[in-house]
């Protein structure tokens, strides 16, 4: 706050909508601060107080100030852009809206803006990453659907380009990430399926090349051995496949092997397909067949109490990833931010009949 001023200035009505494009100098004149201070406040400089930043941002909003991106880039070498590289695959949409919203919300009061860089089925996931890095069109990347040995992670580390990943790798290198403990999820739901009397369980996992799919399957296999359950991870379809493909597969499996009495699903889309196939086959969910899943929005928890469902907090992931890339940009010498969400048994008391 400038010396000698005890409260924020009240902008005269005629000055809130000024002729011409407002500049840093405009905000400086209205706030009584130096132009350099205004610039540093808008760029969230750590040596500028929170009250001063709040004042400057309020005035900037009232006069309609928009930074000149070309000028910012010339002065700082930065774009003030974070790129979220996302798959366009339909099965990701349960998580996509939550992730985009939470990253954008966390960046809302920072100098950074979010752009979405899509990649498409069949496209090399390296293409959008290389494009952003080589064109300098963003200051940092957020990537997801990580692989155990992920070429994107290796490329970004080799070039010292700031990034964070939604998911871990198995590369033995340190990098920022947020992940959900999928192995723990499988152990928890397998225990619940055992409590409901399941003896033969099938998992429809994500594509097996992805790290979190391996974790889901490993947790399922370990828990199945512990509980004496026959376990199989489906190989003909994945939880990312189209609804009709999954439904067809489940229909055939249930006809071929009537002993199957449980399914673990890696997505809501696959869960809905399993429900449809099981009910069409005359199975009663929660009685003659059990289903377990996880979800970012508690749709299943609210609508189908006969299904085992655990929550995955994708909003928390987005918030953390935004913070992690900002740190990677501003303080690259600090240890990378990392967090693992441990699933909680937030299912309602088990009332399903065996």
């Amino acid at each position: 706050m400038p010396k000698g001023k005890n409260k924020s200035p009240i902008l005269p009505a005629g000055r809130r909508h000024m002729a011409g494009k407002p500049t840093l100098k405009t905000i400086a004149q209205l706030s009584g601060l130096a132009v350099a201070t205004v610039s540093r406040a808008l760029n969230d400089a750590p040596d500028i107080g929170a009250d001063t930043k709040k004042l400057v941002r309020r005035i900037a909003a009232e006069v309609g100030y928009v930074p000149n991106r070309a000028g910012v880039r010339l002065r700082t070498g930065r774009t003030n852009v974070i790129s979220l590289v996302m798959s366009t695959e339909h099965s990701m949409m349960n998580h996509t809206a939550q992730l985009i919203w939470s990253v954008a919300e966390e960046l809302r009061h920072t100098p950074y803006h979010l752009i979405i860089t899509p990649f498409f089925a069949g496209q090399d996931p390296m293409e959008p990453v290389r494009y952003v890095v080589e064109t300098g069109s963003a200051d940092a990347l957020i990537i997801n659907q990580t692989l155990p040995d992920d070429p994107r992670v290796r490329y970004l580390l080799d070039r010292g380009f700031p990034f964070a990943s939604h998911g871990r790798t198995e590369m033995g290198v340190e990098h920022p990430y947020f992940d959900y403990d999928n192995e723990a999820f499988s152990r928890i739901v397998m225990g619940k399926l055992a409590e409901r009397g399941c003896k033969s369980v099938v998992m429809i996992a994500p594509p097996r090349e992805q790290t979190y799919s391996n974790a889901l399957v490993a947790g399922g296999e370990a828990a199945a051995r512990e509980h004496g359950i026959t376990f199989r991870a489906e190989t003909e379809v994945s939880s990312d496949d189209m609804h009709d493909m999954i439904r067809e597969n489940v229909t055939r499996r249930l006809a071929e092997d009537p002993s199957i009495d449980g399914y673990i699903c890696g997505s809501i889309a696959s869960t809905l397909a399993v429900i449809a196939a099981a009910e069409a086959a005359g199975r009663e969910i929660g009685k003659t067949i059990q289903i377990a899943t996880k979800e970012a929005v508690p749709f299943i928890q609210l609508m189908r109490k006969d299904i085992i469902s655990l929550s995955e907090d994708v909003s928390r992931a987005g918030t953390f990833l935004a913070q992690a890339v900002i740190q990677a940009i501003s303080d690259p010498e600090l240890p990378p931010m990392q967090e693992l969400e441990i699933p909680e048994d937030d299912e309602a008391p088990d009332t399903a009949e065996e």
Side-chain angles (χ1 to χ4, degrees):
M1 189 76 74
K3 290 182 180 179
K5 297 194 177 185
N6 296 321
K7 53 186 178 181
S8 301
I10 304 300
L11 299 185
R15 300 192 71 177
R16 291 178 187 164
H17 303 285
M18 306 177 72
K21 186 177 179 180
T23 64
L24 293 175
K25 187 175 180 181
T26 307
I27 301 170
Q29 290 171 343
L30 292 172
S31 65
L33 297 166
V35 172
T37 303
V38 169
S39 176
R40 291 180 63 73
L42 288 172
N43 282 285
D44 205 28
D47 59 333
I48 304 297
D51 289 343
T52 300
K53 290 177 183 177
K54 184 177 179 181
L55 167 66
V56 168
R57 288 170 181 161
R58 181 177 66 79
I59 295 173
E62 289 188 4
V63 300
Y65 171 76
V66 178
N68 183 315
R69 289 194 181 279
V72 169
R73 188 163 187 172
L74 283 172
R75 289 194 308 273
T76 66
R78 292 181 179 174
T79 62
N80 282 357
V81 169
I82 306 295
S83 176
L84 176 58
V85 181
M86 298 290 295
S87 166
T88 59
E89 292 179 31
H90 73 284
S91 61
M92 296 301 295
M93 294 310 294
N94 182 52
H95 290 71
T96 298
Q98 290 281 321
L99 190 63
I100 293 172
W101 176 86
S102 54
V103 172
E105 178 65 20
E106 186 63 21
L107 296 177
R108 184 178 175 188
H109 299 298
T110 75
Y112 296 98
H113 299 267
L114 179 67
I115 63 170
I116 308 299
T117 304
F119 69 90
F120 302 89
Q123 181 185 11
D124 180 359
M126 281 296 300
E127 286 184 23
V129 172
R130 284 198 195 96
Y131 174 82
V132 171
V133 173
E134 292 173 6
T135 61
S137 51
D139 296 330
L141 287 169
I142 297 174
I143 61 175
N144 70 347
Q145 294 182 303
T146 55
L147 309 179
D149 186 4
D150 200 309
R152 299 171 301 171
V153 170
R154 198 172 301 283
Y155 172 85
L156 292 165
L157 287 173
D158 286 347
R159 282 153 184 77
F161 194 87
F163 77 99
S165 63
H166 190 196
R168 291 170 289 175
T169 65
E170 298 173 3
M171 300 165 62
V173 295
E174 289 295 310
H175 63 84
Y177 68 76
F178 185 97
D179 201 5
Y180 180 85
D181 193 335
N182 287 283
E183 186 168 347
F185 161 80
S186 288
R187 288 179 177 273
I188 291 171
V189 296
M190 188 66 81
K192 288 183 165 294
L193 292 171
E195 289 173 4
R196 294 189 179 188
C198 288
K199 299 297 183 185
S200 179
V201 173
V202 176
M203 175 181 285
I204 300 182
R208 291 298 295 272
E209 65 269 17
Q210 295 177 21
T211 309
Y212 83 112
S213 179
N214 294 337
L216 281 168
V217 174
E221 289 173 342
R225 288 193 297 270
E226 179 183 342
H227 294 287
I229 292 174
T230 300
F231 174 80
R232 176 175 63 225
E234 184 56 69
T235 57
E236 293 186 6
V237 294
S238 80
S239 60
D240 283 5
D241 282 327
M242 299 294 290
H243 178 278
D244 288 349
M245 290 177 61
I246 299 172
R247 181 173 177 174
E248 223 174 82
N249 173 270
V250 175
T251 299
R252 187 173 69 255
R253 289 292 185 215
L254 292 177
E256 292 172 349
D257 185 0
S259 71
I260 294 172
D261 53 11
Y263 265 89
I264 298 175
C265 302
S267 69
I268 292 303
S270 60
T271 304
L272 297 177
V274 172
I275 292 171
E279 291 183 335
R283 299 293 195 95
E284 191 170 355
I285 311 297
K287 292 185 179 178
T288 60
I289 192 167
Q290 309 294 336
I291 300 174
T293 189
K294 60 174 178 170
E295 51 187 344
V297 180
F299 170 75
I300 294 294
Q301 290 181 26
L302 292 173
M303 303 300 294
R304 296 295 301 255
K305 299 295 185 182
D306 48 4
I307 292 175
I308 298 165
S309 174
L310 301 187
S311 297
E312 180 177 0
D313 194 345
V314 178
S315 293
R316 174 181 163 193
T319 298
F320 185 90
L321 290 168
Q323 295 169 353
V325 290
I326 289 174
Q327 178 182 288
I329 295 167
S330 59
D331 295 295
E333 302 306 315
L334 291 177
M337 291 177 61
Q338 300 173 341
E339 186 165 334
L340 182 65
E341 179 187 352
I342 308 300
E344 296 182 4
D345 182 1
D346 51 5
E347 186 202 9
D350 197 347
T351 57
E353 297 179 26
E354 294 186 9

